[in-house]
Amino acid sequence: MRNGKTAFILAIMAAVPTLLMAGCSSQSPIEHETGLMKIGVSTEKQAVEAGEKTKVKVELLDATNKETTAEQDLTIHVEARSPSGEVIQTKEVPIKAGESSKIIEFEKLQQPGVVEIHASQPQLLEGGSVLEVKSPESSDSTRIKGTIDKTRRAPEKSVERLPKDASRVPPGSQSFRFRDSEVRLTPAAYTDPQETEYTLTLNQTPDRPILANGSDFATIYGYLDHPAPEDIKIYLYHSAGTLLDDEQMIIPKGQIIGSAKLISNQPGKITVSFRGSLPIPLNSKDNLQIIFAPPITKLLLKAAPPIIPIVENAEVIVRLLDNNDTPITTDEPREVSFDIDFGRGLITPEKVTIKPSSFEERASFLPASRGEVQISASAKGFPPPKALLKVTGIPLLILILVAAGGSLGGLVVFLTEKTKWWRILIGLIVGAFFYWACLTGLFDKLPRGVVINEISALMIALIGGIVGTKVFSIVLRKFGL
């Protein structure tokens, strides 16, 4: 009988080093990224009559303005509103998975003037456009306040083009650089106080930071308080970036709105202001401050490691990338929320904020059952990327080590205190119970990462096996019992 007990003890002691040498193959993290998606808005006409139906195209675009398709059903909220923000009409536009655009109609826009079309959806960057609604009395483009005889027009002799090397500009004149020459408006263009005054107001759409990727653009639009008696060229100053549309804005004859597009490859704030106009001089004191944001065009989500036992945690990592898959820091806080699409577990925290000057943030996933788990991340401007995890049962190695540790603890007591042989069995049971208590976090001085270590599994169970049934009282006190 004694020889049998000795053989059992030696078998346990011999197995432990072998088990500790057993390793698990490393797993590469599973990652998934989604590209930025924004809303494009365009109108069939730039100007419509009051009461006329207005067709508006709402489409999905990628970061380079190419049309793209929805990965899931989306509902886009579209508003027609005045420049002051007053909502005139709203539409809910459903775009199904696989679709890229929809054409909608705004019925009978009655309020004359400028109408902004604004489109938004939580997963997409906002889009916008601008439209003029003409009043019936202004349908005749040549009639302004009943006459054009007093239209203030710059005389031909007052408009000159100066070469680049022009060194002398007459005192009191207004001049500015345009392409390869200098445009000068002399005081003669501003002399008659009885003539009609024209005021130009500048604004921007969409009303959001623009990506500094050279493709995303801000539409700068200007509108007059009276229809233009003829085509008016408007020259704008911009402190950085590139103004498309031949570096100028044109308000067509009979209309009040003109627009131009501004792009940039550098993040920062760009000032846009009025410089001058031809042939009709305009008044404007508006200064726009247009914000260009870092070109964050991809959102990456990964789980590491991709295969975990039920007793371990996985890291859930979300990262901001540019078009070249290079991590790029944000200039503003970006909130990302996590969801479990299927499977069971707990993500802590459920929401993270990527802070300015950072490009990633992390959360922890604790599984609740075996099987596959799919995690998704939601952030403004991106379809949700998804990461797949596989949760396995408790590793056989851990189970064996816990059993061995508890048994060894009972063995130590058996040999030192001359107790009954079944003290080894008690050590096995109590050691397993003590390891479970540590695994659930009841003992906060033992981080979970330490507890799931293979050597720790052996040592924790060993301690439980030595302490014996007193462990039950210790754990019950943790519950306040």
Side-chain angles (χ1 to χ4, degrees):
M1 180 72 176
R2 186 174 182 85
N3 290 337
K5 292 179 182 178
T6 303
F8 172 71
I9 294 168
L10 291 175
I12 293 176
M13 296 178 68
V16 170
T18 304
L19 292 171
L20 290 175
M21 293 298 293
C24 298
S25 59
S26 60
Q27 300 286 340
S28 300
I30 295 177
E31 55 187 54
H32 178 223
E33 63 184 38
T34 56
L36 177 139
M37 195 176 290
K38 59 185 181 180
I39 307 172
V41 180
S42 58
T43 57
E44 185 181 37
K45 301 177 183 178
Q46 188 172 350
V48 296
E49 301 292 337
E52 181 182 349
K53 286 186 177 180
T54 306
K55 288 186 178 180
V56 176
K57 183 179 182 181
V58 179
E59 58 186 337
L60 303 180
L61 304 174
D62 65 13
T64 60
N65 301 324
K66 293 180 181 178
E67 193 171 272
T68 186
T69 57
E71 296 183 2
Q72 60 186 26
D73 291 354
L74 300 170
T75 300
I76 297 177
H77 180 72
V78 183
E79 293 181 348
R81 59 193 189 190
S82 67
S84 64
E86 178 189 355
V87 177
I88 302 169
Q89 285 187 34
T90 62
K91 293 280 185 180
E92 300 298 325
V93 184
I95 295 184
K96 295 182 179 180
E99 294 181 341
S100 59
S101 64
K102 278 286 179 66
I103 294 178
I104 61 172
E105 286 187 346
F106 280 100
E107 299 86 4
K108 300 180 180 180
L109 294 172
Q110 300 288 356
Q111 183 176 333
V114 176
V115 175
E116 293 180 351
I117 310 295
H118 183 268
S120 62
Q121 203 276 341
Q123 295 177 8
L124 310 175
L125 290 185
E126 296 94 336
S129 186
V130 66
L131 176 74
E132 176 188 350
V133 177
K134 292 184 174 184
S135 60
E137 58 268 20
S138 65
S139 59
D140 182 356
S141 63
T142 63
R143 193 175 71 191
I144 304 172
K145 289 189 176 181
T147 180
I148 64 168
D149 292 340
K150 293 184 179 180
T151 297
R152 188 171 60 152
R153 176 184 174 87
E156 293 296 331
K157 63 180 181 179
S158 68
V159 181
E160 303 177 19
R161 283 204 177 273
L162 303 180
K164 273 185 176 181
D165 58 356
S167 59
R168 186 169 181 272
V169 178
S173 66
Q174 181 190 26
S175 63
F176 51 89
R177 181 73 58 190
F178 176 66
R179 299 177 69 179
D180 60 347
S181 61
E182 187 172 322
V183 176
R184 185 179 69 205
L185 303 181
T186 65
Y190 297 88
T191 54
D192 190 354
Q194 296 181 351
E195 295 171 350
T196 302
E197 295 284 340
Y198 290 89
T199 300
L200 177 72
T201 303
L202 296 177
N203 214 331
Q204 168 201 348
T205 188
D207 186 19
R208 60 168 172 85
I210 309 301
L211 294 179
N213 64 346
S215 298
D216 196 21
F217 58 85
T219 298
I220 302 165
Y221 70 92
Y223 59 93
L224 302 173
D225 48 354
H226 307 299
E230 55 187 295
D231 290 355
I232 300 177
K233 292 182 180 180
I234 298 169
Y235 302 93
L236 298 173
Y237 163 79
H238 49 100
S239 59
T242 301
L243 194 65
L244 305 180
D245 306 305
D246 202 25
E247 287 280 338
Q248 59 187 315
M249 177 192 297
I250 296 178
I251 299 181
K253 178 180 179 180
Q255 298 184 20
I256 64 172
I257 298 178
S259 64
K261 297 175 181 177
L262 180 70
I263 61 172
S264 178
N265 287 303
Q266 295 295 326
K269 189 178 293 186
I270 296 180
T271 301
V272 177
S273 60
F274 172 76
R275 292 295 303 272
S277 59
L278 289 173
I280 308 297
L282 307 175
N283 296 318
S284 181
K285 296 181 180 179
D286 286 344
N287 283 299
L288 296 181
Q289 300 292 327
I290 300 177
I291 297 174
F292 279 82
I296 298 168
T297 56
K298 294 180 182 179
L299 181 68
L300 178 139
L301 176 68
K302 67 178 180 180
I307 301 176
I308 58 172
I310 195 170
V311 295
E312 290 189 23
N313 289 9
E315 270 197 316
V316 181
I317 305 167
V318 63
R319 183 174 297 160
L320 304 174
L321 306 174
D322 64 11
N323 273 338
N324 299 318
D325 293 331
T326 302
I328 183 168
T329 59
T330 178
D331 62 344
E332 62 179 359
R334 291 177 181 257
E335 187 176 276
V336 183
S337 59
F338 300 106
D339 290 297
I340 297 176
D341 300 330
F342 58 79
R344 295 179 60 204
L346 177 66
I347 300 176
T348 308
E350 293 183 348
K351 290 184 179 180
V352 297
T353 300
I354 303 177
K355 299 177 179 63
S357 301
S358 299
F359 58 80
E360 76 173 24
E361 195 54 70
R362 300 175 181 231
S364 178
F365 171 74
L366 175 64
S369 64
R370 294 179 298 170
E372 289 190 335
V373 179
Q374 182 171 283
I375 299 171
S376 60
S378 300
K380 180 74 172 179
F382 296 92
K386 303 178 186 299
L388 193 64
L389 276 167
K390 185 176 181 181
V391 181
T392 62
I394 299 177
L396 180 61
L397 177 60
I398 294 291
L399 291 175
I400 295 175
L401 287 172
V402 169
S407 300
L408 284 173
L411 176 64
V412 169
V413 176
F414 170 73
L415 294 176
T416 58
E417 298 182 8
K418 306 298 181 180
T419 59
K420 300 292 184 179
W421 68 267
W422 42 259
R423 182 62 179 79
I424 299 174
L425 181 61
I426 291 175
L428 186 151
I429 296 171
V430 175
F433 175 78
F434 188 54
Y435 183 75
W436 167 83
C438 294
L439 193 63
T440 56
L442 288 177
F443 298 91
D444 52 11
K445 291 185 178 180
L446 285 175
R448 188 179 179 85
V450 173
V451 174
I452 63 177
N453 180 274
E454 293 165 359
I455 296 177
S456 297
L458 177 68
M459 293 298 109
I460 291 171
L462 176 66
I463 294 171
I466 292 174
V467 174
T469 55
K470 292 179 182 178
V471 166
F472 295 112
S473 298
I474 295 171
V475 172
L476 288 174
R477 282 200 295 270
K478 289 289 183 179
F479 288 102
L481 300 175

